[in-house]
Amino acid sequence: MNVQATTQAPADLPCDLLAVGVGSDLAELTDLDARFGGKLLEACSDRNFKGAAGSTLALPSFGNIGAKTLLLVGVGDRSRRAVRNGIGKVGREARALSVTNLGVSFPATADAIVEGISAGNYVYDEYKPERDRAPGLSSLVICGSAPSAAASVRAGAQSWARDLVNQPPADLYPETLADAARELASIDGVECEVWDFERCRDEGCVGIIAVGRGSSKPGCMIRLSYRPPNAKAHVALVGKGVTFDAGGYSIKPTGGMQTMRCDMAGAATMLGVHKAVAELGLPVNVDTFVGAVENLVDGDAYKLSDILRYRNGVTVEIHNTDAEGRLVLADCLIEACKVEGVQHVVDAATLTGACVVAVGGDFTGLFTDDDALAADLGAASEACDEGLWRLPLHAPYKEMLKGEWSQIKNVGGRAAGATTAALFLQHFVTEGTSWAHLDVAGSAFHDKAGKRYAAGATGEMVRSLTTWIASLA
Ligand code: BES
Ligand code: MN
Ligand code: ZN
């Protein structure tokens, strides 16, 4: 997508579709209305368009302005959320109308426009019949100041992550996810190493081995580094890369299993961040670890009451093979904490249905004991307008994980399921390490299309985490 800024008045922009964000007082329409000889406000009134957030009105321009079609998008009180949702809607409408050449005038920063339009315009139509594939935007012209190049990089990484998640599990499995990571090594400063299944066994990655064992597609641990000159900070990222989660012997019902190709979204998020940080050349060392496996049923699959002995001494009794993500993340967290000089460890995972129940699709759940880190991540998510909500990492609930035959079980009870999952992970984080866990179970994948995103993967948190890392430099 070619992105440009212009000082031309919106009315003068030559384009297929001109999208204008309109507040409740319709102030943005004054100049345009003059070009329509007063007929524009009249049409708004006839069609009951009052600039309410979420409302739209598309009108042919009949040559009165440079654009062929005018799309008015209500942004109500012009709150940041309403404006961002409106921009997303423009991206989505442009795709629905097969618009390739879009002009935008919105009360938002140019970066927010680029990111929002890109996210809204995204669809995954790889497997649609040719006739149903609407073209994406080729040109975006923004009325106002120019966006930063970084906005396009962040938006590109978000779309890249969404593509990985949306791919069906027959195409995207541990080895092909590793291939995607290997390709990132073509970026300056990036190196990729993959521990295959045998190596994982030799290294004692018991979680990856236990869960991955039930699939004929071997699991692996993907390890990426990024080393810029003059690094000013150092972070490690960990992603859950369960390329399909059938639940194992604690098998999921069909409805719950249908969308479980999304279970590597944490991995896609972190790989997307790694890509963006490296492409931007940010002066921060980054190490990324992904545990990539499929959780299936097989004669050799792991079983209830199996006990795993982790390299840090923690023993884990399996009470539910569907609580597999934490087992795989544990291996990666152990590795991440070993990285010399690392200041923060952050993981992202579609970890619990409980988090979906708690905060729904508009928020990622945040768990951490580090208030400063919580504040910094919160600020980044605020700046990127991605929902992030802190939930309790309440230590007393560790009691619920106490094992009968081992140190801990891999599940707590029904209560506080997202918290007990986070507390489980904490057993594999070296004491004193600044660590945050992001549960993206609700935010990473939407069953239905919404205001900003088509149905499927969202790529939420790619921009926020990239922005957070930029803030460390
Ligand atoms: N991948 C799922 C969590 C999930 C649920 C992600 C819905 C996205 C949408 C995870 O592996 C899982 O199955 N978790 C169980 C944990 C339980 C057995 C303690 C869950 O949430 O039911
Ligand atoms: Mn599961
Ligand atoms: Zn899972």
Side-chain angles (χ1 to χ4, degrees), residues 240 242 245 260 263 322 324-325 350:
K240 171 178 174 182
V242 177
D245 181 13
M260 279 304 137
D263 218 18
D322 199 11
E324 83 297 340
T350 46

Side-chain angles (χ1 to χ4, degrees), residues 240 245 252 260 262-263 320 322-326 350-354 356 411 441:
K240 171 178 174 182
D245 181 13
K252 289 181 185 292
M260 279 304 137
C262 81
D263 218 18
N320 191 321
D322 199 11
E324 83 297 340
R326 61 196 74 182
T350 46
L351 205 60
T352 65
V356 187
V411 289

Side-chain angles (χ1 to χ4, degrees), residues 243-322:
T243 58
F244 190 74
D245 181 13
Y249 276 103
S250 309
I251 197 162
K252 289 181 185 292
T254 300
M257 204 188 294
Q258 187 63 44
T259 57
M260 279 304 137
R261 71 180 194 282
C262 81
D263 218 18
M264 37 61 71
T269 303
M270 292 323 203
L271 294 175
V273 174
H274 199 99
K275 173 178 157 74
V277 168
E279 285 178 352
L280 292 168
L282 298 178
V284 178
N285 289 333
V286 182
D287 288 272
T288 298
F289 301 88
V290 166
V293 290
E294 289 188 316
N295 189 24
L296 303 182
V297 170
D298 179 81
D300 192 38
Y302 79 132
K303 302 168 189 77
L304 304 180
S305 81
D306 271 345
I307 297 177
L308 312 184
R309 188 188 296 278
Y310 280 88
R311 285 165 295 166
N312 66 347
V314 177
T315 55
V316 178
E317 195 177 309
I318 305 305
H319 281 240
N320 191 321
T321 60
D322 199 11

Side-chain angles (χ1 to χ4, degrees), residues 42-411:
E42 207 178 296
C44 287
S45 152
D46 289 349
R47 307 279 282 275
N48 204 24
F49 178 82
K50 294 176 178 146
S55 65
T56 57
L57 178 60
L59 298 163
S61 74
F62 295 119
N64 288 307
I65 59 174
K68 288 186 191 136
T69 305
L70 177 62
L71 176 68
L72 306 182
V73 179
V75 294
D77 57 2
R78 300 186 186 83
S79 70
R80 198 155 62 163
R81 182 146 290 250
V83 171
R84 289 267 193 173
N85 286 343
I87 292 167
K89 185 131 189 164
V90 173
R92 309 241 302 109
E93 285 291 308
R95 177 68 78 154
L97 299 169
S98 293
V99 167
T100 56
N101 180 358
L102 176 70
V104 174
S105 173
F106 250 78
T109 65
D111 281 12
I113 292 174
V114 169
E115 292 172 350
I117 295 286
S118 162
N121 199 239
Y122 174 96
V123 290
Y124 182 74
D125 57 3
E126 205 63 38
Y127 286 89
K128 291 278 192 191
E130 205 51 51
R131 63 171 185 280
D132 293 347
R133 295 179 74 174
L137 287 174
S138 54
S139 152
L140 168 64
V141 184
I142 297 167
C143 296
S145 55
S148 69
S152 290
V153 171
R154 288 189 297 265
Q158 183 176 2
S159 296
W160 181 85
R162 293 170 82 178
D163 272 343
L164 282 179
V165 177
N166 281 325
Q167 275 180 60
D171 295 347
L172 194 114
Y173 45 92
E175 284 163 308
T176 54
L177 183 60
D179 288 340
R182 284 191 186 98
E183 281 174 25
L184 298 184
S186 65
I187 308 169
D188 266 359
V190 176
E191 279 176 29
C192 180
E193 185 190 4
V194 179
W195 285 2
D196 66 11
F197 208 54
E198 279 315 303
R199 179 79 188 271
C200 287
R201 201 188 304 275
D202 294 346
E203 299 283 349
C205 297
V206 293
I208 289 176
I209 295 303
V211 180
R213 208 165 89 188
S215 170
S216 57
K217 300 228 165 57
C220 59
M221 184 190 282
I222 302 166
R223 308 159 62 93
L224 279 165
S225 65
Y226 166 62
R227 292 287 179 275
N230 316 321
K232 296 189 175 56
H234 193 162
V235 302
L237 307 174
V238 168
K240 171 178 174 182
V242 177
T243 58
F244 190 74
D245 181 13
Y249 276 103
S250 309
I251 197 162
K252 289 181 185 292
T254 300
M257 204 188 294
Q258 187 63 44
T259 57
M260 279 304 137
R261 71 180 194 282
C262 81
D263 218 18
M264 37 61 71
T269 303
M270 292 323 203
L271 294 175
V273 174
H274 199 99
K275 173 178 157 74
V277 168
E279 285 178 352
L280 292 168
L282 298 178
V284 178
N285 289 333
V286 182
D287 288 272
T288 298
F289 301 88
V290 166
V293 290
E294 289 188 316
N295 189 24
L296 303 182
V297 170
D298 179 81
D300 192 38
Y302 79 132
K303 302 168 189 77
L304 304 180
S305 81
D306 271 345
I307 297 177
L308 312 184
R309 188 188 296 278
Y310 280 88
R311 285 165 295 166
N312 66 347
V314 177
T315 55
V316 178
E317 195 177 309
I318 305 305
H319 281 240
N320 191 321
T321 60
D322 199 11
E324 83 297 340
R326 61 196 74 182
L327 301 174
V328 169
L329 287 166
D331 288 326
C332 296
L333 287 168
I334 290 173
E335 285 303 301
C337 290
K338 281 196 220 159
V339 173
E340 201 167 300
V342 73
Q343 292 162 313
H344 305 284
V345 175
V346 179
D347 76 76
T350 46
L351 205 60
T352 65
C355 186
V356 187
V357 172
V359 296
D362 288 350
F363 295 91
T364 293
L366 165 66
F367 300 83
T368 183
D369 279 336
D370 185 337
D371 291 343
L373 179 58
D376 289 351
L377 289 168
S381 77
E382 189 77 24
C384 295
D385 203 36
E386 295 184 310
L388 182 67
W389 203 272
R390 192 171 179 183
L391 295 170
L393 188 65
H394 187 53
Y397 290 172
K398 277 186 184 159
E399 192 67 29
M400 299 189 215
L401 290 169
K402 272 226 165 102
E404 205 176 332
W405 310 95
S406 62
Q407 184 181 340
I408 53 173
K409 305 183 288 186
N410 74 327
V411 289

